[in-house]
Amino acid sequence: MSLAETVEQTDAATDVAAVMLAIGRRARAASAALALASGDAKDRALRAAAAAIRADAERILAANAEDVSAARAKGQRESLVDRLVLDPKRLEGIAAGLEAIAGLPDPVGTVLAEWTRPNGLRIARKRVPLGVIGIIYESRPNVTVDAGGLCLKAGNAAILRGGSESFHSSRALVEAMHKGLRAAGLTEDAIQLVPTRDRAAVGELLRMAEYVDVIVPRGGRSLIERVQNESRVPVFAHLDGVCHVYVDAGADPDKAEAIAVNAKMRRTSVCGAAETLLVDRAVAAGLLPRIAAALAEAGCALRGDAEARALVPAMDEATEADWSTEYLDAVIAVAVVDGVGGAVAHINRWGSHHTDSIVTEDPAAAERFLNEVDSAIVLHNASTQFADGGEFGMGAEIGISTGRMHARGPVGAEQLTSFKYVVRGDGQTRP
Amino acid sequence: MSLAETVEQTDAATDVAAVMLAIGRRARAASAALALASGDAKDRALRAAAAAIRADAERILAANAEDVSAARAKGQRESLVDRLVLDPKRLEGIAAGLEAIAGLPDPVGTVLAEWTRPNGLRIARKRVPLGVIGIIYESRPNVTVDAGGLCLKAGNAAILRGGSESFHSSRALVEAMHKGLRAAGLTEDAIQLVPTRDRAAVGELLRMAEYVDVIVPRGGRSLIERVQNESRVPVFAHLDGVCHVYVDAGADPDKAEAIAVNAKMRRTSVCGAAETLLVDRAVAAGLLPRIAAALAEAGCALRGDAEARALVPAMDEATEADWSTEYLDAVIAVAVVDGVGGAVAHINRWGSHHTDSIVTEDPAAAERFLNEVDSAIVLHNASTQFADGGEFGMGAEIGISTGRMHARGPVGAEQLTSFKYVVRGDGQTRP
């Protein structure tokens, strides 16, 4: 049955549970085949998919135009429409992203550790694919390709559930991915798009623990929250990115200013953007006015606690809610704290365990901060905006996790794998 | 409030939800402190706890005698009573186990990977504790100490929920653990025993995703099943250990016989015991009668498929249910399969992804089996009974996981950790 036929049938029958079950079964079967696929075959599929995206550009952009005009007709906000729009340049970026993934080393088969027991048994811990990854996303059609490609790289089957706004775009992109899979002799079931816009499909996906090994939600807070609350399948996600820059007594003032401004203002809409500035009481009088002025000049609104406002009266007043708010906007909360201990206490209490940075030339303060702040990423003298798989050298990421199980921080191809123990003997029996 | 007072209050008030919430909060706070405890302090606590168990032996054995006589009075099966009984030798084994854990390397703080980016950022992936581990177990009181000790070693807080049959024994053992923690200046909340026998406590524990990072159930199939079905917290467990020995055409007959008999009969009650023997059709006529005779002589009952019974008519008939049954008894299912491909297909279809072994001198057959069997542990020319953290050199294990997330196979101290990214810069901002 073609994808289009499946869609029609689904819309007719609306037996979402049956459709999802069939998708889950096909994904599980595909994952068994993909686990044995060579790195070469997977990379050929990724490169052929990139070529198919370029060759099909006209068809993909036409499908996208359909989504965009439907979104505009529905009166969607322009910021949402912007996330939805594809143009030749964005499409080329998507294709090039697949080639970059193809160029990464194959994580599958890597020996993570190896040792020999006194009885002669040789034990190796070897990477294997995780299995089936469910990706639930909203309006960005590029996730179809980025996430599908990264799952394939690590030998996993992907079930993609895109937002209804990007339905036609995602479908056109998945067709190109299927061409790539076919060209490499791999099963098209490696990357399946949920062929219905029925929202019940998400609920089904979240309950299919037998067929899905992990769910990666990509989108706004309400989506992540729903997935985390409802899912019976483990989830890689971060609900919030309440990231901090702490300016320590030992800070170099130039670095402090540059890092604070970059961490907040380089892009305010990313999860690694700083939301709170903490300044050591010992240097607040000298440094805070300067950093506040630089932030204000860059267009940032400031909300301070009483001590901060005493030093910079132009600041608005921060309420308790500000300490745990992810503005994703040109706003920053500012608090004066009692040294590195105060900073650690504030961050562990109010932060979201995502990404936090200390600015200091004092190695002892830096070590304490890096050790005691309980976040996926802790930085010393660097901007929180480096919280990104690409910046970490992972080549690509499927998201950033603030959970502690399996994956934490940027989730790249390696984090989409599991492992097995391979034990080689010569007839050993256990006494 | 003392533990005894808490118990009484709880039994009086039966506000299980409030009790569990308080335990969860204390555990979360303790885990933050433990994450910063030195390896030396944790090891001192473990050794002091071992000493306290030896010093308190009389009190612990008296508490255990209370449990044992209550179990007998309730008419519990002797096999269950045997799991419950402590004697001086078993108690010494428990104390020595703690000392062995103290002797293991501290997993926390280990740098798992380290690299430098072109912009000069130095990135390290560093082990940190997982957080709070909930252990739900049945009648074996030693789990109190083994699991509590292993959690402590990896810097985690433990919430122990022992079976009601072992309530007094577990309480006495936890008191000894608390002496160890106090001696090392660590918080007693590092190891908490749920102070109520109310079964609702288990349900509460399984829902406390905010305070508990992972649940480890230890016990029979019905416990594991309940935990896997109900838990909102990730679970490390195996529901079944349907392990296979596959005798390939290239098998050395002596090794095949020795491994099959050992894998099945060394101890039939362990999860790594073989439950199914698969024999390659090419050598079944020559080898199966010999292996079957050796198994029968060792006291094992055999249930074969039609081909196996044609070669060994004394076998009972296997039904389809036998292929997925964990007998945990002196019974083995026997099937004739079509080479290594047939063995892989049978195991991946009917097995439980736990532990499977191939006996062969043919390296190509061995590699295919090790690669294609999708189990936590795959062995070549070795008994499945090696499926054990101690035998793997991990020193101790909290259980064996057939899941693919985070931990797989024997779960030792290393698998009870997470990691964080530590990034060191010199003022870098992101362009």
Side-chain angles (χ1 to χ4, degrees), chain A residues 117 130 229 232 262 367 370 373 376 378 380-381 391 404 406 408 419-421 423-425 427 430, chain B residues 117 130 229 232 262 367 370 373 376 378 380-381 391 404 406 408 419-421 423-425 427 430:
Chain A
R117 298 290 301 152
L130 200 44
N229 287 336
R232 302 291 304 161
N262 183 268
E367 285 315 299
L370 297 173
V373 168
V378 285
H380 173 209
N381 284 345
E391 291 297 319
R404 308 175 74 86
H406 193 96
R408 197 180 192 205
F419 59 84
K420 77 202 287 188
Y421 289 99
V423 184
R424 294 164 206 271
R430 188 169 170 192
Chain B
R117 298 289 302 151
L130 199 44
N229 287 336
R232 301 292 303 163
N262 182 267
E367 285 316 298
L370 297 173
V373 168
V378 285
H380 174 207
N381 285 343
E391 290 297 320
R404 308 174 75 86
H406 193 95
R408 195 180 193 204
F419 58 84
K420 77 203 284 188
Y421 289 99
V423 183
R424 294 164 205 272
R430 187 169 171 190

Side-chain angles (χ1 to χ4, degrees), chain A residues 421, chain B residues 377 387-390 392 394 397-401 407-412 415:
Chain A
Y421 289 99
Chain B
I377 303 172
D388 173 89
F392 271 52
M394 293 175 178
E397 66 171 36
I398 202 167
I400 290 186
S401 171
R408 195 180 193 204
V411 182
Q415 284 74 43

Side-chain angles (χ1 to χ4, degrees), chain A residues 246 248-252 255 340 344 358-372 379-381, chain B residues 122 126 422-426:
Chain A
Y246 164 61
D248 182 62
D252 173 302
K255 290 181 190 170
V340 66
V344 168
I358 180 173
V359 186
T360 191
E361 302 300 307
D362 173 357
E367 285 315 299
R368 183 170 172 198
F369 183 93
L370 297 173
N371 197 33
E372 296 188 11
L379 305 109
H380 173 209
N381 284 345
Chain B
R122 287 168 298 139
K126 212 172 148 185
V422 177
V423 183
R424 294 164 205 272
D426 189 34

Side-chain angles (χ1 to χ4, degrees), chain A residues 89-106:
Chain A
K89 198 182 148 204
R90 283 186 178 180
L91 208 55
E92 172 52 31
I94 291 173
L98 279 182
E99 289 168 335
I101 293 172
L104 296 174
D106 185 1

